[in-house]
Coordinates of all heavy atoms in Angstrom, one line a residue:
Chain B
K53 N 36.7 -73.3 25.1 CA 36.5 -72.5 23.9 C 37.1 -71.1 23.9 O 37.8 -70.8 22.9 CB 34.9 -72.3 23.7 CG 34.2 -73.6 23.9 CD 32.6 -73.2 23.7 CE 31.9 -72.4 24.7 NZ 31.9 -73.0 26.0
S54 N 37.0 -70.4 24.9 CA 37.6 -69.1 25.1 C 39.1 -69.3 24.9 O 39.8 -68.3 24.4 CB 37.3 -68.4 26.3 OG 35.9 -68.1 26.4
D166 N 33.7 -64.3 20.7 CA 33.5 -65.1 21.9 C 32.4 -64.9 22.5 O 32.1 -64.0 23.4 CB 34.8 -64.9 22.8 CG 34.7 -65.9 24.0 OD1 33.8 -66.7 24.1 OD2 35.8 -65.9 24.7
E167 N 31.3 -65.6 22.3 CA 29.9 -65.5 22.8 C 29.5 -64.0 22.8 O 29.2 -63.5 23.8 CB 29.9 -66.0 24.2 CG 30.5 -67.3 24.3 CD 29.9 -68.2 25.6 OE1 28.7 -67.9 26.0 OE2 30.6 -69.1 26.1
V198 N 32.3 -68.5 18.9 CA 32.3 -69.3 20.1 C 30.8 -69.2 20.7 O 30.4 -68.1 20.9 CB 33.3 -69.1 21.1 CG1 32.9 -69.6 22.5 CG2 34.7 -69.6 20.7
Ligands
LIG302 MG1 34.2 -68.6 27.5

Side-chain angles (χ1 to χ4, degrees):
Chain B
K53 304 182 295 293
S54 296
D166 192 353
E167 310 204 26
V198 162

